């Protein structure tokens, strides 16, 4: 019997090994061939696509169109499924792959009808840009056709990859609009509902300016404290203490200095864009080498967005540039009266089997949303014909920051704080991207009489700019950059609190000479300056009972004042603040939930308000179960601490709450979230957390600096470009995780590609035929 069992086990094991080996072999068939010679009808001359140790796509071509084909081919080989998700996300077509569980998201996207808008805009592009998108799409599709087997995502979902179209590249840009300006749209509607439910004084109290201001001209919005509106006993009694979701600090940090402050006499730029993380990471390393008009040799190195033929952030040897989300006001909600004519448009949403028809109510001002008894129409820059274009590719060949500033006014991208430096030592800032000419931005819905249709239809090309400031320093971090005067015209689209920008500004004024390493240390600055007052507040309350809270006091005292991996005190302070805000504003959040609204879009604005409540201790805001605000604050701490212990400590030990464990960096593939057994194959390694919000080193569990870029134009050989993930979306590729370890351990990775380890040759079909 024992022998039979042994034989059975051997046979079973052998079959299992054969099954795994067979699956691996079949899986490997979908790996792209990076070393071959092919032909194409879409190019005019030979194109080569090399790869270095990180998988950086190194494209050599005779002209920009052929270079776009090479980049498209590389994107198609390494990232097609991710490109497919981006276009489907913008178009509201995810349910066609994922079924009904994606239907609600698709409906929210279809509200904007971005597929229709992309198709209309692509017809208005210049012949050169349309040709660029068409040839890029041909490169993508040729790479797709060369695959012997579809990538595993299509195999698992049973979906078929659809060819790439020129308009799909515009949808990829629209997908960035949804990420970068989605909170702006939610914010105005939430504030409108807040004013209707609680009155104008409450809205002003919740959105009062903070002392964390870091505009480039040092102008300050007046800090007169708003009166604390009393809460009704009924509102207080019905409150449910629940988490108010914190909006991600989607945006970025960037800063620059002129040549006057660098140790080698060259202007220097730093840029790290903050986005949600997934596998693969959103950016794709690339270098394009080609001739411009057979006169100027162009070499542009940086990161591209798979789906578009442009280098988004990088350097061309003469000029380098980077972006942060500008958060100026790009949306208006218009309160419709009963006389406003509306009509219905139907959108067909495909499912794996069947379809769903989705109705959108339309008005002369934009698509309509019902909120209670009131209808509101959305006028958003993303709905305008000038929202997207391909002007970004013109950065390839600019030779000075002045040229970059001029180009910034023509770009069809979500409006960004663009910083530039050039090889002559200059530095400049300007909002780059699509912005309307309307002059009356508003935090709440406006009336139809206040709407400025002509100004909305015309893009603003007179946005402010700064060139070579007297202080030789420029910075932005998603808070207000513009002057108070310009702020009146550009509005607030959901600015970050300003703590990051203030800390960056302060660091830049701590020295008069900087090297690349100094900028990298600033990118990794996780000092908790913003939370100092919160640490003092918590310590003060804990010390009222030094026996009961002896261990807590020890950790909070020795918190290191940083979001350091081994700091338990930082975790306790950080979560105490969050819980107290949630508890104090619970009456408002509970009432807003009855209208499908939330304080979430403005949670970053609540800092001044919560401190007013702490300092004034209004009785009308104090929940009935507490006698004093001191009791509420201690109870908030205990609740946050015990919630953390339940989640992170089996034994209930405070030592288990080190920030590196609580804020672990977990970069996951979308499929592993649904199928956890795939995690080991698909996800990046889990590493200790480093950084947080409200400081330059931004990092959450699946959010943070999507790249770290530092460069001096003309000295790219010493530049840095570190990315938290690999180039390829294929788990068996050598480039799937390449570069992640350097990012996770705060090492720097060179911007310029290394020696080529693979090379793909693409010949024009005519040349290939002659050779044959």
């Amino acid at each position: 019997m024992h022998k039979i069992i042994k034989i059975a086990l051997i046979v079973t094991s052998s079959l299992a090994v054969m099954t795994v080996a067979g699956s691996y072999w079949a899986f490997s068939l979908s790996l792209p061939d990076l070393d071959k010679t092919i032909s194409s009808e879409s190019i005019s001359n030979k194109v080569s696509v090399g790869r270095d140790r990180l998988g950086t796509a190194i494209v050599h071509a005779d002209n920009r169109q052929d270079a776009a084909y090479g980049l498209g081919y590389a994107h198609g080989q390494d990232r097609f499924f991710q490109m497919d998700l981006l276009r489907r996300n913008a178009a509201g077509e995810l349910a066609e792959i994922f079924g009904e569980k994606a239907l609600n998201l698709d409906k929210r996207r279809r509200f904007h009808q971005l597929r229709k808008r992309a198709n209309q805009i692509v017809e208005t592009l210049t012949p050169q840009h349309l040709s660029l998108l068409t040839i890029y799409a041909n490169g993508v599709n040729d790479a797709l056709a060369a695959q012997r087997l579809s990538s595993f995502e299509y195999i698992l979902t049973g979906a078929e990859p659809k060819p790439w179209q020129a308009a799909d590249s515009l949808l990829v840009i629209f997908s960035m609009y949804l990420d970068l300006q989605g909170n702006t749209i939610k914010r105005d509607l939430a504030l409108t509902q807040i004013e209707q439910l609680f009155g104008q004084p409450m809205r002003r109290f919740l959105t009062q300016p903070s002392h964390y201001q870091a505009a480039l001209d040092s102008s300050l919005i007046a800090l007169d404290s708003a009166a604390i509106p009393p809460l009704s006993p009924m509102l207080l009694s019905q409150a449910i203490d629940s988490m108010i979701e914190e909006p991600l600090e989607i945006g970025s940090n960037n800063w620059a200095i002129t040549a006057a402050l660098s140790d080698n006499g060259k202007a220097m730029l730093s840029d790290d864009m903050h986005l949600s993380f997934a596998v693969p990471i959103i950016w794709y390393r690339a270098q394009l080498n080609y001739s411009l008009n057979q006169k100027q040799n162009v070499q542009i190195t940086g990161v591209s967005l798979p789906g578009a033929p442009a280098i988004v952030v990088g350097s061309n040897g003469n000029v380098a540039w980077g972006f942060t989300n500008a958060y100026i006001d790009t949306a208006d909600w218009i309160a419709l009266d009963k006389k406003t004519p509306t009509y219905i448009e139907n959108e067909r949403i495909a499912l794996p089997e069947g379809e769903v028809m989705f109705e959108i109510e339309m008005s002369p001002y934009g698509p309509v949303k019902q909120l209670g008894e009131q209808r509101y129409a959305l006028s958003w820059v993303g709905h305008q014909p000038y929202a997207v274009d391909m002007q970004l590719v013109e950065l390839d060949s600019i030779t000075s920051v002045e040229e970059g500033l001029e180009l910034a006014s023509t770009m069809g991208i979500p409006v960004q704080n663009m910083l530039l430096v050039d090889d002559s030592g200059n530095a400049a800032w300007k909002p780059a991207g699509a912005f309307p000419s309307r002059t009356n931005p508003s935090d709440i819905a406006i009336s139809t009489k206040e709407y400025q249709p002509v100004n909305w239809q015309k893009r603003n090309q007179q946005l402010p700019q700064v060139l070579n400031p007297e202080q030789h320093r420029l910075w932005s971090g998603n808070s207000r950059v513009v002057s108070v005067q310009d702020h009146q015209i550009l509005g607030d689209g959901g600015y970050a609190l300003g703590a990051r920008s203030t800390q960056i500004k302060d660091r830049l004024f701590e020295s008069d000479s900087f090297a690349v390493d100094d900028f990298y240390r600033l990118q990794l600055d996780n000092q908790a300056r913003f939370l100092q007052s919160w640490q003092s507040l918590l310590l003060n309350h804990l010390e009222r009972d030094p026996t009961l809270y002896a261990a807590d006091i020890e950790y909070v005292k020795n918190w290191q004042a940083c979001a350091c991996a081994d700091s338990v005190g930082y975790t306790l302070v950080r979560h105490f603040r969050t819980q107290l805000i949630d508890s104090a504003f619970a009456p408002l959040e509970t009432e807003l939930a009855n209208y499908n609204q939330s304080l979430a879009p403005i949670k970053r604005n609540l800092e001044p308000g919560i401190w007013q409540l702490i300092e004034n201790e209004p009785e009308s805001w104090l929940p009935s179960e507490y006698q004093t605000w001191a009791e509420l604050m201690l109870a908030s701490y205990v609740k946050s601490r015990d919630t953390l212990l339940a989640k992170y400590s089996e034994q209930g030990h405070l030592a288990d709450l080190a920030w590196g464990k609580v804020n672990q960096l977990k970069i996951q593939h979308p499929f592993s979230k649904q199928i956890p057994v795939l995690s080991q194959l698909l996800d990046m390694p889990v590493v200790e957390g480093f950084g947080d919000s409200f400081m330059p080193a931004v990092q959450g569990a699946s959010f943070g600096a999507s790249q770290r870029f530092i460069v001096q134009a003309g000295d790219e050989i010493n530049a840095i470009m570190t990315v938290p993930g690999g180039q390829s979306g294929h788990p068996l590729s050598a480039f799937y995780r390449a570069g992640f370890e350097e990012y996770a351990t705060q090492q720097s990775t060179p911007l310029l590609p290394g020696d080529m380890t693979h090379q793909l040759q693409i010949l024009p079909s005519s040349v290939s035929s002659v050779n044959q």
Side-chain angles (χ1 to χ4, degrees), residues 55-75:
T56 306
I58 309 158
V59 179
H60 285 85
D62 280 0
N63 55 69
R64 186 60 174 93
Q65 307 285 11
D66 286 357
Y69 178 92
L71 184 60
Y73 201 97
H75 284 167

Side-chain angles (χ1 to χ4, degrees), residues 621-700:
W621 283 71
L622 184 64
S624 58
E625 62 265 35
Y626 304 109
Q627 296 297 314
T628 65
W629 272 81
E631 283 187 27
L632 170 61
M633 284 186 266
L634 269 176
S636 295
Y637 168 71
V638 171
K639 181 177 181 179
S640 65
R641 180 199 64 186
D642 291 351
T643 300
L644 287 165
L645 288 171
K647 185 174 182 180
Y648 296 103
S649 176
E650 293 183 2
Q651 304 300 321
H653 296 157
L654 285 175
D656 292 331
L657 302 184
W659 183 243
K661 178 180 178 181
V662 172
N663 194 42
Q664 284 181 329
L665 180 61
K666 300 178 181 178
I667 306 181
Q668 295 180 273
H669 192 284
F671 281 24
S672 75
K673 294 179 180 180
Q674 304 299 321
I675 313 172
V677 72
L678 296 177
S679 181
Q680 189 171 358
L681 173 66
L682 299 180
D683 297 344
M684 295 296 115
V686 176
V687 298
E688 284 189 334
F690 179 90
D692 190 18
S693 304
F694 310 120
M695 58 184 59
V698 170
Q699 190 238 295

Side-chain angles (χ1 to χ4, degrees), residues 505-700:
K505 175 186 175 182
D506 291 347
R507 292 294 198 196
L508 288 175
F509 279 93
E510 289 176 357
S511 176
D512 289 325
S513 179
F514 297 90
V516 169
D517 288 345
D518 298 319
F519 270 29
Y520 202 59
R521 278 192 292 273
L522 179 46
Q523 285 193 357
L524 300 175
D525 179 13
N526 65 351
Q527 186 179 15
R529 294 186 176 189
F530 169 74
L531 286 180
Q532 288 278 4
S533 56
W534 284 97
Q535 186 259 0
S536 299
L537 176 69
L538 177 56
L539 196 58
N540 177 59
H541 283 282
L542 292 176
E543 287 178 338
R544 296 182 181 189
D545 195 337
T547 302
L548 179 61
Y549 298 110
D552 310 67
I553 290 169
E554 190 68 19
Y555 280 117
V556 173
K557 271 187 176 179
N558 299 312
W559 73 314
Q560 303 175 60
C562 65
C564 298
D566 60 348
S567 177
V568 173
Y570 182 87
T571 303
L572 297 177
V573 173
R574 174 70 161 84
H575 283 263
F576 161 65
R577 173 186 178 272
T578 300
Q579 182 59 58
L580 184 57
I581 290 174
D582 290 348
S583 297
F585 291 100
L588 305 183
E589 181 70 3
T590 301
E591 183 66 11
L592 285 168
N594 295 327
Y595 298 86
N596 295 317
Q597 293 294 310
S598 171
L599 290 170
I602 63 163
K603 191 171 185 179
R604 59 172 66 112
N605 297 103
L606 300 181
E607 183 72 8
I610 187 62
W611 277 105
Q612 269 191 269
L613 295 176
I614 291 168
E615 291 163 0
N616 291 276
E617 300 185 352
E619 288 187 16
S620 73
W621 283 71
L622 184 64
S624 58
E625 62 265 35
Y626 304 109
Q627 296 297 314
T628 65
W629 272 81
E631 283 187 27
L632 170 61
M633 284 186 266
L634 269 176
S636 295
Y637 168 71
V638 171
K639 181 177 181 179
S640 65
R641 180 199 64 186
D642 291 351
T643 300
L644 287 165
L645 288 171
K647 185 174 182 180
Y648 296 103
S649 176
E650 293 183 2
Q651 304 300 321
H653 296 157
L654 285 175
D656 292 331
L657 302 184
W659 183 243
K661 178 180 178 181
V662 172
N663 194 42
Q664 284 181 329
L665 180 61
K666 300 178 181 178
I667 306 181
Q668 295 180 273
H669 192 284
F671 281 24
S672 75
K673 294 179 180 180
Q674 304 299 321
I675 313 172
V677 72
L678 296 177
S679 181
Q680 189 171 358
L681 173 66
L682 299 180
D683 297 344
M684 295 296 115
V686 176
V687 298
E688 284 189 334
F690 179 90
D692 190 18
S693 304
F694 310 120
M695 58 184 59
V698 170
Q699 190 238 295

Side-chain angles (χ1 to χ4, degrees), residues 22-150:
S23 299
Y24 183 91
W25 176 80
F27 197 17
S28 66
L29 289 178
S30 59
L31 278 167
D33 192 343
L34 306 181
D35 295 285
K36 62 178 180 179
T37 299
I38 61 173
S39 62
S40 172
E41 297 178 353
S42 300
I43 57 176
S44 58
N45 289 294
K46 183 178 78 170
V47 175
S48 70
V49 181
R51 304 297 210 287
D52 69 354
R53 70 171 185 89
L54 294 173
T56 306
I58 309 158
V59 179
H60 285 85
D62 280 0
N63 55 69
R64 186 60 174 93
Q65 307 285 11
D66 286 357
Y69 178 92
L71 184 60
Y73 201 97
H75 284 167
Q77 283 189 309
D78 291 334
R79 295 289 192 91
F80 185 80
F81 183 74
Q82 289 70 41
M83 294 162 57
D84 195 4
L85 291 187
L86 283 175
R87 66 175 171 180
R88 288 178 178 276
N89 174 61
E93 297 170 354
L94 291 167
E96 188 174 8
I97 291 181
F98 300 110
E100 292 190 2
K101 59 187 175 184
L103 193 54
N104 287 335
L105 176 58
D106 274 1
K107 288 179 179 179
R108 293 196 296 272
R109 298 303 193 231
R110 290 296 178 101
F111 181 77
H112 302 291
Q113 297 182 301
L114 298 179
R115 167 70 74 181
K116 179 187 296 184
R117 299 182 196 281
N119 288 337
Q120 292 170 344
I121 291 173
V122 79
E123 298 298 327
T124 68
L125 296 177
T126 64
Q128 181 181 2
H129 287 168
L130 179 58
S131 174
L132 192 76
L133 288 184
T134 301
I135 292 172
Y136 171 82
N138 291 343
V140 174
N141 292 327
D142 285 351
L144 190 64
Q147 280 190 313
R148 291 166 290 181
L149 187 70
S150 293

Side-chain angles (χ1 to χ4, degrees), residues 214-236:
L216 290 177
D217 70 341
S218 299
S219 61
L220 297 174
I221 297 174
L223 297 179
D224 295 336
S225 296
I228 302 175
L231 294 183
S232 69
M234 180 177 295
L235 202 63
L236 203 64

Side-chain angles (χ1 to χ4, degrees), residues 27 30 149-159:
F27 197 17
S30 59
L149 187 70
S150 293
S151 65
F152 78 96
E153 296 98 337
Y154 291 107
I155 295 172
L156 286 178
T157 59

Side-chain angles (χ1 to χ4, degrees), residues 310-616:
I311 300 298
V312 177
V313 165
S315 178
N316 65 15
N318 297 308
V319 185
W321 59 90
F323 298 109
T324 74
N325 202 26
Y327 278 114
I328 54 180
D329 191 359
T330 56
D332 284 335
W333 287 95
I334 300 93
L336 304 182
D337 55 38
K338 294 182 180 179
K339 298 179 181 179
T340 304
T342 64
Y343 59 96
I344 299 296
E345 288 196 5
N346 289 295
E347 290 277 321
R348 172 187 169 275
I349 303 178
L351 296 168
E353 295 181 6
E355 63 184 42
V356 172
M357 298 305 295
F358 176 57
E359 291 186 350
I360 305 174
E361 185 177 8
M362 300 295 295
S363 76
Y365 310 97
V368 177
K369 185 180 181 69
Q370 187 90 17
L371 198 62
E373 298 298 318
Q374 179 65 54
R375 294 177 305 161
Y376 298 95
L378 175 64
S379 183
W380 177 39
V381 70
H383 296 164
Q384 304 304 319
Y386 53 80
V388 297
D389 58 31
M390 277 294 110
Q391 285 293 100
L392 190 64
V393 302
E394 302 304 324
L395 286 170
D396 285 16
S397 55
I398 61 174
T399 59
S400 66
V401 296
E402 289 88 350
E403 289 182 30
L405 292 173
E406 185 176 350
L407 183 61
S409 299
T410 69
M411 290 182 190
I413 59 173
V415 65
Q416 302 286 294
N417 291 307
M418 184 179 189
L419 289 190
L420 309 101
V421 297
D422 65 23
D423 58 358
S424 296
N426 303 300
W429 160 85
K430 186 173 186 175
F435 190 76
S437 293
R438 66 98 154 81
T439 58
N440 60 340
S442 175
D443 285 344
I444 60 173
I446 61 176
S447 69
T448 55
K449 293 180 180 179
E450 296 173 289
Y451 183 65
Q452 300 178 349
V454 174
N455 290 345
W456 262 102
Q457 293 163 16
K458 182 174 61 175
R459 72 177 296 155
N460 188 331
Q461 294 187 312
Q462 303 299 319
L463 294 174
Q465 66 183 47
V466 176
L467 172 63
N468 293 333
E470 289 184 12
Q471 70 268 28
H472 301 291
R473 300 163 175 88
L474 294 164
W475 60 87
S476 74
N478 309 129
S479 60
R480 178 177 62 88
V481 178
V482 302
S483 68
V484 171
Q485 182 178 1
D486 286 328
H487 176 67
Q488 305 305 315
I489 300 299
L490 304 180
D492 184 347
Y495 283 131
L497 180 61
R500 271 188 294 120
S501 295
T502 301
Q503 193 159 330
I504 291 167
K505 175 186 175 182
D506 291 347
R507 292 294 198 196
L508 288 175
F509 279 93
E510 289 176 357
S511 176
D512 289 325
S513 179
F514 297 90
V516 169
D517 288 345
D518 298 319
F519 270 29
Y520 202 59
R521 278 192 292 273
L522 179 46
Q523 285 193 357
L524 300 175
D525 179 13
N526 65 351
Q527 186 179 15
R529 294 186 176 189
F530 169 74
L531 286 180
Q532 288 278 4
S533 56
W534 284 97
Q535 186 259 0
S536 299
L537 176 69
L538 177 56
L539 196 58
N540 177 59
H541 283 282
L542 292 176
E543 287 178 338
R544 296 182 181 189
D545 195 337
T547 302
L548 179 61
Y549 298 110
D552 310 67
I553 290 169
E554 190 68 19
Y555 280 117
V556 173
K557 271 187 176 179
N558 299 312
W559 73 314
Q560 303 175 60
C562 65
C564 298
D566 60 348
S567 177
V568 173
Y570 182 87
T571 303
L572 297 177
V573 173
R574 174 70 161 84
H575 283 263
F576 161 65
R577 173 186 178 272
T578 300
Q579 182 59 58
L580 184 57
I581 290 174
D582 290 348
S583 297
F585 291 100
L588 305 183
E589 181 70 3
T590 301
E591 183 66 11
L592 285 168
N594 295 327
Y595 298 86
N596 295 317
Q597 293 294 310
S598 171
L599 290 170
I602 63 163
K603 191 171 185 179
R604 59 172 66 112
N605 297 103
L606 300 181
E607 183 72 8
I610 187 62
W611 277 105
Q612 269 191 269
L613 295 176
I614 291 168
E615 291 163 0
N616 291 276

